[in-house]
Structures are given as C-alpha cells and as structure tokens.
C-alpha cells in the first residue's frame, strides 16, 4: 500500500499552475512520451523476467534496496520508506522473502527492540543473477531514454515554460 503523504506527491501537489493558457512545445510531449515508453518497455521486460523466477517486482525491489544499503541490512521501517509502503506491508513483504529463504532477520546490535533484514546467500545469488539481466534490459532502452531526457533538458534550458 502507498503511504498517504509521500514527499514526491506533496511536491507534485505544490506545483502551481501559473499560466493555464500557455502551450508547451511539441518536443516536450515527444520527450515525455519517449521517457514513458522506455520505462514501460523496461518494466514489461522486468515483469516477464521476474515471473520466470517466481519473484515479484516488489520482492526484487526490496532485495535491491537491502543490497544497496550501506550495511547490507536494514530495518523494516526503512524498507517501508524506500518502497513507499505502510509498515505492515513491509513486514508482510519481509515475511514472504524470509519464507522463500531470500532474507533473514538479524537482531539489531544497537537497538534490541529492532530487527534488521539482510539477504541470505541464496537471496544474494538470485539478486545478482537478476541484476545482471536487468542491467542489460535497462541498457537496451538507454538510447531512447537518454535522447528523450536530453531533449527535455534542452527545452527546459531554452526557457520553454517547463520550470
């Protein structure tokens, strides 16, 4: 479940429409369409790959977040924040990952009330395999993504009313 107030959403809500009558250049729409197409292609690729391994996108994202953390482990509330989940949703996700043997719960040495989650060796091996294929899938979409982002950046620099 999504948190009710995420910092990205509050930033979106705070953007004021100052000139409703102004038009955006066609390149803005082309750039945004290109970015979304590249993202959709990658996400479709990712979903197909993950389903072959019986891993959900959320589980993969959780394993990435754990692996990317400085210590290689994190509290469930940190995972909830990163994945934009309610705490109980992150607990359930951690439970499913633990039941699959992909993470283990580790008592915190700093706070005895807290439990950290860390990848098991099986979780680390699976994540590494999936990340290698995901990297190639992302790079396959790089040209469209880079071109679209660069065009959008150029338009913003030209003062096209984007910012």
């Amino acid at each position: 479940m999504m948190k009710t107030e995420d910092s990205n959403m509050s930033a979106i809500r705070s953007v004021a429409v100052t000139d409703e009558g102004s038009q955006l250049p066609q390149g803005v729409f082309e750039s945004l369409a290109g970015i979304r197409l590249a993202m959709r292609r990658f996400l479709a690729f990712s979903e197909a790959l993950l389903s072959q391994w019986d891993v959900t996108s959320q589980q993969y994202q959780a394993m990435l977040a754990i692996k990317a953390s400085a210590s290689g482990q994190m509290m469930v509330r940190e995972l909830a924040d990163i994945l934009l989940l309610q705490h109980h949703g992150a607990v359930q996700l951690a439970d499913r990952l633990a039941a699959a043997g992909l993470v283990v719960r580790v008592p915190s040495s700093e706070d005895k009330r807290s439990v950290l989650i860390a990848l098991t060796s099986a979780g680390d091996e699976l994540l590494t395999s999936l990340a290698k294929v995901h990297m190639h899938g992302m790079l396959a979409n790089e040209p469209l993504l880079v071109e679209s982002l660069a065009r959008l950046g150029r338009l913003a620099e030209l003062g096209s009313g984007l910012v």
Side-chain angles (χ1 to χ4, degrees):
M1 305 208 100
M2 296 284 287
K3 289 187 171 196
T4 56
E5 186 62 32
D6 166 71
S7 60
N8 288 332
M9 291 306 294
S10 63
I12 291 168
R13 280 190 218 97
S14 69
V15 174
V17 178
T18 56
D19 185 7
E20 293 180 22
S22 68
Q23 296 295 313
L24 293 173
Q26 181 65 22
V28 170
F29 299 105
E30 292 167 358
S31 298
L32 292 172
I35 292 165
R36 292 190 60 88
L37 175 59
M39 291 181 348
R40 282 193 322 273
R41 284 179 179 167
F42 173 73
L43 291 174
F45 162 82
S46 177
E47 289 294 332
L49 172 67
L50 294 173
S51 70
Q52 292 175 0
W53 289 85
D54 292 325
V55 175
T56 67
S57 273
Q58 201 172 53
Q59 289 171 331
Y60 177 66
Q61 187 65 37
M63 291 189 295
L64 279 173
I66 294 165
K67 181 74 171 184
S69 69
S71 64
Q73 54 189 17
M74 65 177 48
M75 289 186 272
V76 173
R77 72 173 161 76
E78 292 173 302
L79 183 64
D81 289 343
I82 290 170
L83 297 185
L84 306 176
L85 297 171
Q86 296 291 333
H87 183 267
H88 67 275
V91 169
Q92 292 171 348
L93 177 57
D95 289 345
R96 289 190 301 275
L97 287 167
L102 301 174
V103 301
V104 63
R105 287 180 168 79
V106 179
S108 172
S109 59
E110 297 171 10
D111 180 359
K112 298 301 178 194
R113 299 169 297 165
S114 296
V115 174
L116 303 167
I117 50 176
L119 293 175
T120 62
S121 60
D124 192 56
E125 289 174 23
L126 175 61
L127 177 62
T128 299
S129 296
L130 291 171
K132 286 177 183 178
V133 181
H134 273 94
M135 183 178 64
H136 292 292
M138 180 61 77
L139 292 174
N141 289 287
E142 179 185 22
L144 177 59
L145 192 56
V146 168
E147 174 192 329
S148 299
L149 285 168
R151 183 182 325 128
L152 195 58
R154 286 190 304 274
L155 289 167
E157 287 175 5
L158 294 174
S160 302
L162 298 177
V163 288

